[in-house]
Amino acid sequence: MAAESKSSAKSHPRPLSPHLQVYRPQYTSVLSITHRATGVALAVGTLMLACWLVAAATGERAFAGVNAFLGSGFGRVILFGWTVAFFYHLGNGIRHLFWDAGYGFDLPTAEKSGWLVIAFTIAATILSWALGLAVLGGR
Amino acid sequence: MSKSLRSPLGRARGLGSAKDGTHHWWAQRVTAIALIPLSLWFVASIVRLAGAPLIDLQAWAASPVVAVLLLILVVATFQHARLGMQVVVEDYVHHEGVKVAALLAINGASLLFGAISAFAVLKLAFGG
């Protein structure tokens, strides 16, 4: 029986579910894939964290080198992107934890909490950069 | 119940044929919850230390509370990243050989960079 269905599967390919590109991207689905994308970006960012920690543990010269990179225009763009990804993944991760606990899964609430995550990401990014630049300027 | 092929013991353990059960899912949530306060604390600390000389950073990391929290942060971060990247690879990489190689690379890189980060935290903390 199993062998029979296997051979018929070979001659007649099984129907597959439609792939991602046939669906119109929706607000909630875009937020969902963004959670993944920011997660991957943050995973790559952990290598930056490791570099920074190693430089700090190595000594003045290495620390100055890493800081010069992070303080450069390119370094700041990366840090800014990291900040956005971090706050988005944090906020949306908390949204996921509420879903795991069984709350907020209906569509109106899921859309509202999605906007809340975006508002939090923008506000927290602006706040932390304003504070960071103020600390930097005060030195 | 009587039609199930699973033994009563297997059913009670709930680990399925992968012998893993919900461990991956659960570990991803446990590290996520730990990282909420830890990562916010770390970002706030880094903002406060923006542009600070190394000696200030060393003084900060030499505090036992800070050093221990940094160690937990490093372990939770690399574990969370490893579990997340594993799911991404399992979802999108369909060639068996490439998938296994990618999973091995993710596991190895997480362990390597996690250990390097933890060692750097200890070195900073002990002033070496």
Side-chain angles (χ1 to χ4, degrees):
Chain A
M1 181 67 194
E4 190 185 310
S5 65
K6 198 175 181 184
S7 65
S8 67
K10 255 183 186 167
S11 48
H12 304 285
R14 305 296 302 156
L16 296 169
S17 64
H19 202 48
L20 208 58
Q21 60 266 25
V22 307
Y23 297 108
R24 181 173 58 86
Q26 285 165 301
Y27 172 62
T28 42
S29 71
V30 171
L31 288 189
S32 173
I33 194 64
T34 307
H35 192 69
R36 266 204 173 177
T38 52
V40 172
L42 289 169
V44 175
T46 58
L47 305 183
M48 196 169 75
L49 172 72
C51 281
W52 183 76
L53 283 170
V54 166
T58 303
E60 291 282 0
R61 272 190 60 194
F63 188 64
V66 167
N67 273 352
F69 170 72
L70 292 176
S72 70
F74 182 59
R76 283 189 184 197
V77 168
I78 291 180
L79 266 185
F80 187 81
W82 186 88
T83 318
V84 173
F86 167 72
F87 282 121
Y88 180 84
H89 200 81
L90 175 71
N92 202 51
I94 293 171
R95 187 166 166 246
H96 267 281
L97 287 172
F98 272 101
W99 287 338
D100 292 338
Y103 300 106
F105 216 73
D106 60 295
L107 205 53
T109 311
E111 290 201 352
K112 256 184 242 160
S113 60
W115 284 115
L116 193 65
V117 166
I118 290 181
F120 166 75
T121 305
I122 296 169
T125 303
I126 292 174
L127 179 71
S128 46
W129 274 80
L131 286 175
L133 289 174
V135 169
L136 206 59
R139 284 193 196 278
Chain B
M1 175 83 191
S2 60
K3 280 182 184 168
S4 173
L5 290 174
R6 292 174 66 184
S7 70
L9 182 61
R11 185 179 283 274
R13 283 181 175 154
L15 295 178
S17 56
K19 308 284 181 279
D20 194 45
T22 54
H23 177 257
H24 183 287
W25 188 92
W26 190 242
Q28 186 77 323
R29 268 72 189 167
V30 169
T31 50
I33 291 166
L35 282 169
I36 296 171
L38 281 170
S39 61
L40 279 173
W41 162 79
F42 179 72
V43 168
S45 306
I46 294 308
V47 164
R48 207 170 49 79
L49 286 165
L54 182 57
I55 192 159
D56 288 6
L57 185 68
Q58 286 165 336
W60 175 69
S63 148
V65 174
V66 171
V68 168
L69 288 179
L70 278 177
L71 278 179
I72 300 172
L73 173 82
V74 164
V75 172
T77 297
F78 280 94
Q79 173 76 333
H80 189 80
R82 184 179 74 83
L83 294 168
M85 291 299 291
Q86 182 190 337
V87 174
V88 171
V89 166
E90 285 169 349
D91 280 356
Y92 303 132
V93 180
H94 300 305
H95 183 278
E96 198 62 21
V98 177
K99 184 166 79 183
V100 170
L103 290 176
L104 282 172
I106 285 166
N107 277 295
S110 317
L111 183 62
L112 180 67
F113 286 100
I116 288 173
S117 302
F119 180 75
V121 167
L122 290 174
K123 196 160 180 287
L124 257 181
F126 294 127

